[in-house]
Structures are given as structure tokens and as C-alpha cells.
Amino acid sequence: MISCPFCKSEIAAKDNICSTCNAKKGYLKIYDLIFGKNLLIFWGLILPFLLILFALSAQNLFGIYASIVLTLPMLFAIWNFILGAR
């Protein structure tokens, strides 16, 4: 059992939505969009990885710089996985 950060009621650790206040649990919240595990994997790991491969295929300096910049969302996604759903 964990407590909801909004209404402080007890909810099961496996539940994704608080039964009292309907708050959603996720790995990342951007505005009103809550990223669950699948969205974070796609937008934070798979898509940047594919863009890195595409940028490196250009074989120029821009591709190297772009791949360095695109590692930031991947590191951010990994950090959110380490912290867990909240």
C-alpha cells in the first residue's frame, strides 16, 4: 500500500489510478499528459535511438552533434525508470 500524493488515501501499489481522487500514476507528466511505461519507452528510448541512427548515417559533423543532443532524452527516460512510477 502506498499513499496518494494528492488526497493522501491508501491505494494498492499495483493500481494506476487512485480510487478516491482519480489521480493517475505514471513515470512522467508533461502538462496534462501522463506518460506510462509504454509511452516513455517509445518517446524516450526508441524514437531518439532511431533518430540517432538516422543522424549518424549522414556521416558528417551535424550527425555527431545531433546524436549527442538526442542522448539527453534517452538519459532522462532512463532516470525516470530508475525513479519509478509516481
Side-chain angles (χ1 to χ4, degrees), residues 42 44-57 70 74:
F42 179 74
L45 297 174
I46 294 174
L47 188 64
F49 180 73
L50 293 175
L51 291 173
I52 286 171
L53 290 178
F54 180 72
L56 288 177
S57 69
L70 285 170
M74 293 178 75

Side-chain angles (χ1 to χ4, degrees), residues 16-83:
N16 289 329
I17 298 175
C18 176
S19 60
T20 306
C21 68
N22 292 328
K24 294 180 183 175
K25 183 169 69 170
Y27 288 87
L28 178 65
K29 181 180 179 188
I30 300 175
Y31 300 110
D32 290 332
L33 180 64
I34 296 175
F35 282 65
K37 191 177 234 178
N38 293 336
L39 281 174
L40 190 63
I41 288 172
F42 179 74
W43 291 106
L45 297 174
I46 294 174
L47 188 64
F49 180 73
L50 293 175
L51 291 173
I52 286 171
L53 290 178
F54 180 72
L56 288 177
S57 69
Q59 296 181 352
N60 59 13
L61 198 56
F62 174 75
I64 294 171
Y65 289 144
S67 63
I68 291 171
V69 169
L70 285 170
T71 57
L72 295 175
M74 293 178 75
L75 293 173
F76 187 69
I78 291 169
W79 178 254
N80 281 313
F81 275 125
I82 291 170
L83 291 178

Side-chain angles (χ1 to χ4, degrees), residues 2-11 17-23:
I2 59 172
S3 65
C4 176
F6 299 103
C7 66
K8 305 300 183 208
S9 66
E10 294 290 323
I11 58 174
I17 298 175
C18 176
S19 60
T20 306
C21 68
N22 292 328

